[in-house]
Amino acid sequence: MKLFICGDSTAANYAPTDAPQAGWGQVLPELLPGVDVQNRARGGRSTKSYLADGLLQQIETELQAGDLLLIQFAHNDGSDLVWRHTDPWTSFYNNLEIFVDTALLHSVRAVLLTPICCRVWQEGRLMESHGDYPDAVRVLAARRNLPLIDLYAKSTALLRSLGEAESRKLYMNLEPGVSPRHPDGLADNTHTQRAGAAAYAQIVADALREFRLI
């Protein structure tokens, strides 16, 4: 069995020179020994641009009955750029169905994931992110009777439990001099450091086991 990940930069693999940045899909193989994890998440992709770039079609040539296809988007679907923007209840929803139908066509088990939350605190309160996109994923999962890993809800709960200061360590918030790639430091509350990637990968691994998919 192979486990394929379709997604964006929050799930993608990163080179050692990008450290400490890591996506949850990069860490997942460490938590699933014996599972052949094929991480095909790519930075900057929405459901629209992932399909337009032929990335799902490439995966389709490799799919075998009994494989798993994990599907997680939204961060870039809300972009203002026309070549990747989708509407949550129309084009985003319909594009997700293309991923699901492709999996089912090949007797592959599709798993839907909501996006990880963005870490934006205002006046001591973690703000909601991604608008209606997480709900669109939840509705599709319910209508199609598909496994849903609600990473948005779980990541939001985790950040709130950690608090504003401690949760900063999960995302790419770097002091000057920590990373050669970012010598002046970085404030990035969308992409994760290794600690955040590991936390979210653990949520995914635990859910896959609860669903008895692995």
Side-chain angles (χ1 to χ4, degrees):
M1 181 192 78
K2 290 184 178 181
L3 184 158
F4 292 87
I5 301 172
C6 299
D8 54 37
S9 57
T10 61
N13 292 337
Y14 291 88
T17 52
D18 294 318
Q21 186 167 352
W24 63 261
Q26 182 175 348
V27 182
L28 190 63
E30 301 171 19
L31 305 176
L32 301 177
V35 177
D36 185 355
V37 176
Q38 297 287 321
N39 189 3
R40 305 299 173 82
R42 296 292 182 268
R45 300 314 197 277
S46 65
T47 54
K48 183 177 182 179
S49 61
Y50 198 95
L51 293 171
D53 290 344
L55 297 173
L56 178 61
Q57 293 92 321
Q58 291 175 19
I59 293 173
E60 186 177 11
T61 66
E62 304 174 49
L63 292 176
Q64 307 257 340
D67 287 344
L68 286 172
L69 184 69
L70 273 58
I71 307 158
Q72 183 197 49
F73 290 94
H75 281 271
N76 299 301
D77 284 84
S79 168
D80 291 333
L81 296 171
V82 67
W83 54 271
R84 62 182 179 183
H85 175 80
T86 64
D87 174 83
W89 296 111
T90 56
S91 48
F92 177 68
Y93 187 97
N94 293 336
N95 287 344
L96 288 178
E97 286 209 290
I98 292 173
F99 286 85
V100 169
D101 290 339
T102 298
L104 299 181
L105 178 66
H106 297 280
S107 300
V108 168
R109 294 166 293 178
V111 181
L112 290 170
L113 296 85
T114 53
I116 65 171
C117 71
C118 294
R119 181 192 166 275
V120 180
W121 292 81
Q122 291 184 9
E123 299 179 351
R125 184 164 63 96
L126 181 67
M127 307 302 292
E128 298 290 337
S129 56
H130 303 308
D132 284 344
Y133 291 95
D135 277 341
V137 179
R138 295 176 185 124
V139 168
L140 177 59
R143 286 179 176 172
R144 299 291 297 267
N145 194 28
L146 297 168
L148 171 71
I149 302 176
D150 200 340
L151 261 181
Y152 179 78
K154 291 181 181 297
S155 60
T156 299
L158 175 60
L159 296 197
R160 286 178 176 152
S161 70
L162 291 173
E164 184 172 0
E166 197 65 22
S167 64
R168 188 175 185 274
K169 301 173 184 177
L170 299 187
Y171 288 74
M172 284 291 288
N173 295 292
L174 309 176
E175 297 299 324
V178 170
S179 168
R181 191 175 181 87
H182 305 286
D184 298 325
L186 185 66
D188 179 347
N189 289 298
T190 297
H191 301 96
T192 50
Q193 297 192 47
R194 167 79 191 194
Y200 298 147
Q202 188 67 64
I203 292 171
V204 174
D206 289 345
L208 291 173
R209 291 190 176 97
E210 287 172 13
F211 286 128
R212 301 187 181 218
L213 292 170
I214 57 170

